[in-house]
Amino acid sequence: MATTKEYIEFVCDQIQGFGEVRYRKMFGEYMIYVNDKPILLVCDNTVYIKKLDCLAELMKDAPIAIPYPGAKERYILDIENHQLTKEIISILEPITPLP
């Protein structure tokens, strides 16, 4: 099942206020960019973030999954948890390089 247009727009609405938010369709799924930096991967209506040491404590109880065949494991982000989402983006945005 591919991510729906409605879901990707919902995710983008949830992260408004963190900078310029846009998304790009890639291989049938989506990458969400904040200030032109790839921050969130959305596959099958699920939001994924990279497994990084700086996120380990915040995401210790989060499920881990592989978003698509051949990908590395990632944390699944509960995008409706506004406090957690805010913390995650505030950590990831400064350390994520521009593509």
Side-chain angles (χ1 to χ4, degrees):
M1 167 182 130
T3 298
T4 63
K5 179 92 168 173
E6 292 80 17
Y7 188 75
I8 197 69
E9 289 177 359
F10 168 75
V11 172
C12 288
D13 286 345
Q14 298 302 303
I15 61 172
Q16 291 300 320
F18 293 105
E20 180 186 340
V21 176
R22 67 180 178 88
Y23 61 88
R24 182 174 176 200
K25 193 167 189 168
M26 303 173 76
F27 309 108
E29 296 296 350
Y30 294 90
M31 179 63 70
I32 296 180
Y33 297 81
V34 177
N35 298 325
D36 290 325
K37 298 176 180 183
I39 303 291
L40 305 175
L41 176 64
V42 183
C43 299
D44 296 327
N45 287 347
T46 303
V47 180
Y48 295 89
I49 55 174
K50 285 185 180 179
K51 282 182 67 179
L52 300 172
D53 290 341
C54 60
L55 301 177
E57 183 61 29
L58 277 174
M59 299 300 290
K60 67 182 176 200
D61 297 325
I64 296 171
I66 298 173
Y68 54 87
K72 293 180 181 178
E73 286 186 333
R74 292 180 179 246
Y75 294 118
I76 295 176
L77 177 63
D78 177 3
I79 196 68
E80 293 184 48
N81 181 336
H82 299 291
Q83 183 61 36
L84 177 62
T85 298
K86 179 181 177 179
E87 290 180 59
I88 295 296
I89 292 178
S90 68
I91 291 169
L92 288 179
E93 197 281 332
I95 66 169
T96 302
L98 289 167

